[in-house]
Amino acid sequence: SSGINAEYGRGARVRRSIGLGKVGQIDPFLMLDEFTGSSLEGAGFPDHPHRGFETITYVLEGEIIHEDFLGNSGILKPGDVQWMTAGKGIIHSEIPGREM
């Protein structure tokens, strides 16, 4: 299948299928990423901000631990969906759980 493979975060392997075009100084309108990695390998997306857009996480297998600096946290498991409105200045992280 088409897409670009890259590493983001800390050892996280990402395949971007949508949002490949370079659009200058603006963010892509839509991106579709597939993430693989394991907490046992130290992979994940440690503390980072977003710039006021929506993210949707859907877990096919394993689990993702999501936390932010406001004290919100949760564990996403297979079949779970999380819709996050990424507000300005909020720092958060997504780290694979032991089941990834």
Side-chain angles (χ1 to χ4, degrees), residues 33 35 55-61 64 76-83:
D33 293 344
F35 160 72
T55 64
I56 300 171
T57 303
Y58 178 68
V59 178
L60 297 173
E61 60 183 51
I64 299 287
L76 302 166
K77 297 188 179 218
D80 287 348
V81 175
Q82 175 180 279
W83 186 311

Side-chain angles (χ1 to χ4, degrees), residues 59-98:
V59 178
L60 297 173
E61 60 183 51
E63 58 185 32
I64 299 287
I65 301 166
H66 183 269
E67 299 177 324
D68 68 32
F69 277 23
L70 295 176
N72 301 304
S73 66
I75 298 175
L76 302 166
K77 297 188 179 218
D80 287 348
V81 175
Q82 175 180 279
W83 186 311
M84 181 181 76
T85 301
K88 183 178 175 183
I90 302 300
I91 307 292
H92 75 119
S93 66
E94 299 110 344
I95 305 295
R98 294 270 180 221

Side-chain angles (χ1 to χ4, degrees), residues 8-67:
Y8 292 99
R10 186 180 60 216
R13 294 176 304 279
V14 174
R15 180 167 190 74
R16 178 157 294 154
S17 301
I18 298 174
L20 303 173
K22 297 189 188 251
V23 194
Q25 297 296 317
I26 62 172
D27 288 331
F29 174 73
L30 178 66
M31 296 184 308
L32 177 62
D33 293 344
E34 176 185 356
F35 160 72
T36 58
S38 165
S39 62
L40 300 174
E41 299 168 339
F45 303 93
D47 300 341
H48 63 281
H50 282 294
R51 297 175 289 209
F53 58 84
E54 308 290 323
T55 64
I56 300 171
T57 303
Y58 178 68
V59 178
L60 297 173
E61 60 183 51
E63 58 185 32
I64 299 287
I65 301 166
H66 183 269
E67 299 177 324

